[in-house]
Amino acid sequence: MSGQHQPVAIDRIAVIGGGAWASALALTAARAGRQVMLWARDPRTVQAINAGEGNPAYLPGIAFDRAITATGDLGVALERADAVLLVTPAQTTRAMAEALAPHLAPATPVVLCAKGIERDTGLLLGEVLSQAAPACRPAVLSGPSFAGDVARGLPTAVTLAAADGDLADALSQALAGTQFRPYASTDLVGVQVGGALKNVLAIACGAVAGKGWGASALAALTARGFAELTRLGLALGARPETLTGLSGLGDLVLTCSSPQSRNFAFGLALGEGRSVAELAAGGKLAEGVHSAAIAVDLAARHGIEMPIGAAVSAVLEGRIGLDAALTGLMTRPLRREA
């Protein structure tokens, strides 16, 4: 057996979060035969789930086909939990992990299901979790997946990583079903880098689509974006096979090609002429907006060139207009591709 811990029997799963992705993963765990307790901050969400109405605020029209219990009490949600799925926004990870820590039994696996980089520190979310809840065992779930698809039971494959391969296997088996396939990995860094950077790159791809530049330009930008993701991932210690797998290239392709992605949709709106300020005033921002500047800064610290990421960051911060940024990318000096 790898690692120092005993094999984990995972039957009771706590899902922390009341949004669409949290509800979709709760349904997935329940379909896999697990006992599921979902924590949500909004009492209306808790009431709707417990009344058998599903989560109409975030997954309208999707009936819950399995029994899931909801609560607004973290202590109740985490009581006797064999594993925890933390499904709250990336920038709230530290605060949520600190709130979870007093209720977690030692060595409880906590699976990060958000994608991003902590804006204030440049830390990957796994590092944040280890600082805020040091007694837990961090894991990460990431890959090409939309909440609506997963909630409807449509075929989906993702990566689930933990430093201990046995734990990654156990968590994957606990969530697996005929339509949801988690592939185990021990590359925590690679899985996190893919999930975080694809959000930034999807904004650029959305902007190109919004400009009406065509499928050829979109494919080129996606490919060059993947080169940036790979350079930074390798510098941070990711494995090449992770970056070309589900949580890297797979997630990038999905997110950079569909308006279902909040990040692509944000870029699409920019390309169609809406301003960053206007979109920011409309409510919750796409995660790539939070991660862009810190991702570019992280790349600079490692001597990595990220022209697409830098262009996205500059546009979001108002240092350059979108047209100038896209033109700048298209007029970079020609060089050999590799």
Side-chain angles (χ1 to χ4, degrees):
M1 185 187 75
S2 62
Q4 59 181 341
H5 300 281
Q6 295 301 312
V8 177
I10 300 172
D11 183 55
R12 295 179 296 274
I13 293 181
V15 178
I16 307 303
W21 188 221
S23 296
L25 288 175
L27 275 170
T28 296
R31 289 167 182 158
R34 310 283 79 83
Q35 299 176 38
V36 179
M37 174 75 78
L38 180 145
W39 173 88
R41 194 183 305 276
D42 184 356
R44 292 168 297 183
T45 298
V46 172
Q47 182 179 8
I49 291 174
N50 287 335
E53 299 170 359
N55 190 346
Y58 290 96
L59 288 175
I62 296 179
F64 281 22
D65 59 354
R66 295 292 187 278
I68 296 170
T69 304
T71 179
D73 186 322
L74 273 178
V76 171
L78 296 169
E79 185 179 5
R80 299 170 59 230
D82 298 319
V84 178
L85 305 185
L86 182 53
V87 203
T88 53
Q91 300 306 321
T92 69
T93 298
R94 186 177 297 276
M96 287 304 306
E98 289 172 347
L100 298 179
H103 304 287
L104 291 172
T108 300
V110 176
V111 184
L112 292 162
C113 302
K115 303 168 183 179
I117 302 170
E118 189 173 49
R119 185 175 47 204
D120 295 336
T121 64
L123 295 177
L124 297 177
L125 300 187
E127 299 170 294
V128 174
L129 178 60
S130 293
Q131 289 182 356
C136 80
R137 301 172 72 186
V140 179
L141 186 152
S142 188
S145 49
F146 287 139
D149 292 349
V150 172
R152 290 181 177 89
L154 299 179
T156 304
V158 298
T159 304
L160 205 162
D164 182 340
D166 291 338
L167 176 60
D169 288 337
L171 289 167
S172 295
Q173 291 163 8
L175 295 175
T178 56
Q179 303 300 308
F180 189 81
R181 309 302 296 171
Y183 287 82
S185 170
T186 57
D187 186 5
L188 279 164
V189 171
V191 173
Q192 291 180 86
V193 169
L197 292 190
K198 61 92 185 179
N199 285 332
V200 178
L201 299 167
I203 294 175
C205 288
V208 164
K211 282 289 182 185
W213 281 16
S216 299
L218 187 60
L221 192 64
T222 303
R224 296 313 304 159
F226 180 63
E228 294 187 14
L229 183 157
T230 300
R231 286 196 294 268
L232 182 56
L234 294 177
L236 293 175
R239 298 176 198 154
E241 62 269 24
T242 306
L243 301 177
T244 57
L246 289 165
S247 60
L249 181 59
D251 207 2
L252 180 72
V253 169
L254 178 71
T255 312
C256 289
S257 61
S258 174
Q260 288 188 71
S261 160
R262 185 180 290 114
N263 294 280
F264 185 92
F266 185 94
L268 187 69
L270 289 179
E272 291 172 344
R274 298 180 67 185
S275 69
V276 174
E278 181 185 358
L279 293 171
K284 181 180 176 183
L285 285 173
E287 180 52 46
V289 177
H290 299 296
S291 297
I294 193 63
V296 173
D297 180 65
L298 193 59
R301 293 182 215 170
H302 288 82
I304 302 300
E305 193 176 22
M306 281 187 64
I308 299 173
V312 171
S313 179
V315 169
L316 294 175
E317 294 174 0
R319 292 185 280 111
I320 190 173
L322 179 60
D323 288 342
L326 293 176
T327 300
L329 289 173
M330 294 301 296
T331 56
R332 284 172 55 80
L334 291 174
R335 53 189 290 184
R336 293 186 179 182
E337 184 174 25

